[in-house]
Amino acid sequence: MTREEWLQKAVEKLNANLFHGELDILNTPYQISTGRVKWDYMMEVFMPYQGEDPTMDDFFPPTIVVNHLLKDPVEILGAVALGCIQAFFGHQRCNKKFKKDAERFFFEFDKRNPIITDFLKNQLLGVYGMMVKNYGEYPGKSVYIHKTDKREGKKNSFKLFCPDCGYELKVSRKTFEKYGQKTPTCVCGAKMAVDLEDEEEINTDE
């Protein structure tokens, strides 16, 4: 089962157990998937174009996109539920009317940020249990985006060592690059090398 298929089944379970059939899923076409959303929000809904002079590209069903970074099953189902409220109740924007409908189903808001109340959490956990029993765990894994540590990046110095006598020294990046990344000759006469064991790899010239 794909993520999209699992999420569609989740919409059906939420309609039966949270929305009590208020979502007209039999007569309302919709799409649901995971992906990147604005502002790291839980979800984003793309509604059909309502302006003048629509083109053929504007005739698409309401599309719910669940944030691909979500890991917690409760948050995933919460995002699906929130997307359903906007998509099936026809809210073009997450405005006061949208928030009013969301509050009917036990969401709260901190300014624009939705909060899953304890009561809603219990409801979603119950739905997730049904989903696991019937369709298995949520398929796939959330996307992990590596955030660069401020300490990562170019190193400021490199450790050099002599393969013959074991003598070691550190040289600054500026000096190392100034001499074309060439390693010096040790006092014993052997050519020194860059210690790559805990340093980033460098292509040295012979």
Side-chain angles (χ1 to χ4, degrees):
M1 177 174 278
T2 65
R3 285 186 188 180
E4 286 72 19
E5 291 170 336
W6 195 96
L7 291 170
Q8 284 183 334
K9 294 297 183 182
V11 171
E12 295 173 10
K13 291 293 183 186
L14 287 169
N15 186 39
N17 295 277
L18 176 64
F19 297 108
H20 304 295
E22 285 195 44
L23 308 182
D24 190 9
I25 59 177
L26 294 179
N27 300 308
T28 306
Y30 72 96
Q31 299 178 138
I32 185 166
S33 63
T34 60
R36 179 175 291 182
V37 300
K38 293 187 294 188
W39 306 305
D40 290 331
Y41 202 50
M42 292 174 66
M43 59 83 206
E44 187 172 4
V45 175
F46 297 92
M47 299 292 285
Y49 179 64
Q50 298 293 315
E52 297 179 356
D53 301 321
T55 67
M56 290 301 295
D57 292 335
D58 295 317
F59 290 95
F60 58 85
T63 301
I64 303 167
V65 181
V66 176
N67 191 329
H68 65 298
L69 298 176
L70 295 182
K71 300 177 182 179
D72 189 311
V74 170
E75 290 185 343
I76 293 170
L77 289 178
V80 174
L82 208 59
C84 286
I85 292 168
Q86 185 176 353
F88 287 94
F89 295 154
H91 297 293
Q92 289 290 328
R93 302 188 192 315
C94 297
N95 52 20
K96 290 183 178 179
K97 291 182 178 179
F98 162 75
K99 288 183 178 180
K100 188 174 180 180
D101 271 333
E103 287 168 353
R104 284 203 297 127
F105 298 103
F106 317 110
F107 282 96
E108 292 180 353
F109 287 86
D110 177 12
K111 295 182 180 178
R112 64 174 299 276
N113 297 314
I115 297 172
I116 298 173
T117 61
D118 290 340
F119 181 82
L120 178 56
K121 181 178 180 179
N122 289 331
Q123 298 287 309
L124 297 177
L125 283 171
V127 171
Y128 189 69
M130 298 178 198
M131 290 295 299
V132 172
K133 182 179 179 180
N134 290 281
Y135 309 110
E137 297 280 352
Y138 179 64
K141 295 182 179 180
S142 62
V143 176
Y144 174 76
I145 298 178
H146 176 73
K147 294 184 179 180
T148 304
D149 193 308
K150 291 182 179 180
R151 295 170 296 179
E152 293 181 7
K154 289 189 175 182
K155 293 186 179 292
N156 293 321
S157 63
F158 301 100
K159 186 189 294 183
L160 306 180
F161 74 100
C162 176
D164 284 2
C165 70
Y167 178 71
E168 294 181 351
L169 64 87
K170 279 195 173 182
V171 61
S172 68
R173 171 178 287 277
K174 184 176 180 181
T175 301
F176 189 61
E177 292 179 346
K178 179 180 178 181
Y179 292 98
Q181 297 187 359
K182 294 180 179 178
T183 56
T185 301
C186 179
V187 292
C188 73
K191 185 75 169 176
M192 300 190 77
V194 178
D195 185 355
L196 299 178
E197 189 171 320
D198 59 354
E199 304 287 342
E200 67 177 341
E201 187 171 355
I202 298 293
N203 293 321
T204 57
D205 295 329
E206 296 294 334

